Amino acid sequence: MSAVNETKFNPAVFFLTGIPGKEDVHLWISIPFCLVYVTSIVGNSLILFAIKTDPSLHEPMYILLSMLAVTDLGLSITTIPTILGIYLFNSREISHNACFTQMFFIHFLAKIESAMLLMMAFDRFIAICNPLRYASILTLPRLAKMGSVFVLRGVAIELPFPLLLKWFQYCRANVLSHSYCLHQDIMKLACADITVNNIYGLFVTVITLWLDSMLIFLSYVMILKAVLGIASHIECLRALNTCVSHLCAVLVFYMPGFSLTVIHRFWKSSSPLLQILLGYIYLLGPPLINPVVYSVKSKHLRARIIRVFCQM
């Protein structure tokens, strides 16, 4: 009897969700997902290979881009098994431990993505506002130290989430809202007081995503102020053009991420389809768009990638 009660009130698995009402066309829906993942993995791998094999690209801007590409690869690989498992094989079950592990890496990599975008904003700020000291400020050892600090920050603030969730009993319907595991989604299934999770989750969001985005915004305010002081109209446009790729990456990452956070916490009556679509854009958008945008806007990187294809 105790085993039955334990199963009833603390189910051993969660059930992931595809697109509700579209189960009969899941196989067709899997096609664009497969294309997105292949494009993301190939695109980010090409950027990493191009930067690694071309000494002329061993500059701070491209080193930061390679760090962003590694993060995007991690986001893609973390979500591939469960999303494609649902749409290709109708495999919806995921154990608690596997779900908590995936949740940790998704949130951890999202914080690293935010940190990389902040570092790239700092790179553009130094390049435009203090170009004479660019090489002396953004040295490779300093970039490595900054990257290590942000990795440690991500681990330290995300590790409590799976530990807190592991102690909960789950006595409600164990169906998640997405094809992957998110903290905001899992904690709503717990039959316990989740006030600590709510407060800590909001605190983590504020000191990472919100703080990073505010610092990025501040850096662009200072960049715009410096650019407007340039007498030459052509030089002004040229300076702003170097920021276009980064601005696209910032918008693709932050807009759906903030929207998803607000919906999960404050707009609980929103359409489930809206949450699902925003979740896919949040996770799949940056790995797909970033390689395309940077390859198109960076002349040197584009030339190197073309040479790679010509050598094949």
Side-chain angles (χ1 to χ4, degrees):
M1 180 65 69
S2 61
V4 173
N5 288 336
E6 184 178 355
T7 302
K8 179 180 178 181
F9 291 102
N10 193 29
V13 297
F14 293 119
F15 287 94
L16 301 169
T17 301
I19 298 180
K22 303 295 182 181
E23 288 79 8
D24 55 332
V25 292
H26 270 186
L27 188 60
W28 292 104
I29 295 175
S30 69
I31 295 176
F33 279 112
C34 290
L35 292 175
V36 166
Y37 278 124
V38 170
T39 304
S40 301
I41 291 174
V42 171
N44 285 290
S45 299
L46 272 175
I47 285 181
L48 288 172
F49 181 78
I51 293 174
K52 181 179 180 180
T53 56
D54 191 343
S56 66
L57 296 178
H58 293 177
E59 300 177 359
M61 181 178 71
Y62 296 108
I63 296 299
L64 290 172
L65 178 57
S66 66
M67 295 165 72
L68 183 67
V70 169
T71 306
D72 285 337
L73 277 174
L75 276 173
S76 296
I77 294 171
T78 300
T79 54
I80 281 176
T82 54
I83 294 180
L84 291 186
I86 289 175
Y87 292 108
L88 286 175
F89 310 109
N90 196 31
S91 176
R92 297 179 56 211
E93 292 187 10
I94 183 171
S95 68
H96 285 189
N97 288 336
C99 192
F100 297 154
T101 301
Q102 184 188 49
M103 178 206 70
F104 169 80
F105 280 105
I106 287 176
H107 287 289
F108 166 71
L109 290 169
K111 301 305 184 293
I112 298 299
E113 181 104 4
S114 177
M116 292 302 105
L117 292 174
L118 175 59
M119 290 175 65
M120 295 173 86
F122 181 64
D123 168 81
R124 291 300 84 206
F125 167 73
I126 299 297
I128 294 174
C129 299
N130 202 350
L132 297 179
R133 296 188 59 198
Y134 180 80
S136 61
I137 293 176
L138 290 177
T139 61
L140 296 186
R142 184 165 292 167
L143 289 178
K145 290 179 182 178
M146 292 170 65
S148 300
V149 168
F150 283 124
V151 169
L152 291 175
R153 181 190 76 165
V155 172
I157 62 178
E158 292 300 332
L159 194 57
F161 285 124
L163 297 179
L164 286 170
L165 292 174
K166 197 172 179 63
W167 285 100
F168 286 156
Q169 295 288 318
Y170 297 92
C171 56
R172 300 174 186 173
N174 56 338
V175 180
L176 299 174
S177 305
H178 298 282
S179 307
Y180 44 83
C181 300
L182 294 176
H183 171 255
Q184 305 97 311
D185 205 13
I186 300 172
M187 71 178 183
K188 291 188 296 185
L189 303 182
C191 53
D193 185 2
I194 58 173
T195 303
V196 173
N197 290 65
N198 267 317
I199 294 174
Y200 183 68
L202 186 60
F203 169 74
V204 167
T205 301
V206 169
I207 67 168
T208 54
L209 301 181
W210 288 92
L211 178 60
D212 292 350
S213 62
M214 289 301 297
L215 291 174
I216 291 172
F217 176 76
L218 180 61
S219 69
Y220 271 102
V221 169
M222 300 176 71
I223 286 172
L224 188 60
K225 181 180 178 182
V227 167
L228 292 177
I230 299 176
S232 171
H233 183 65
I234 296 177
E235 290 296 325
C236 177
L237 291 177
R238 187 177 299 171
L240 289 176
N241 189 52
T242 63
C243 301
V244 171
S245 301
H246 181 256
L247 279 173
C248 290
V250 168
L251 291 175
V252 169
F253 175 73
Y254 281 109
M255 293 303 292
F258 284 149
S259 301
L260 195 60
T261 299
V262 170
I263 286 175
H264 271 297
R265 294 186 181 280
F266 307 111
W267 189 17
K268 301 184 185 300
S269 61
S270 63
S271 167
L273 182 60
L274 176 62
Q275 296 184 28
I276 291 169
L277 292 178
L278 281 174
Y280 285 138
I281 295 172
Y282 174 59
L283 286 183
L284 307 184
L288 176 66
I289 300 298
N290 289 345
V292 176
V293 171
Y294 277 98
S295 298
V296 170
K297 293 300 296 181
S298 174
K299 181 175 65 176
H300 299 296
L301 181 60
R302 183 173 67 250
R304 176 56 184 159
I305 291 176
I306 292 173
R307 288 200 303 271
V308 171
F309 276 112
C310 292
Q311 292 171 1
M312 289 182 177

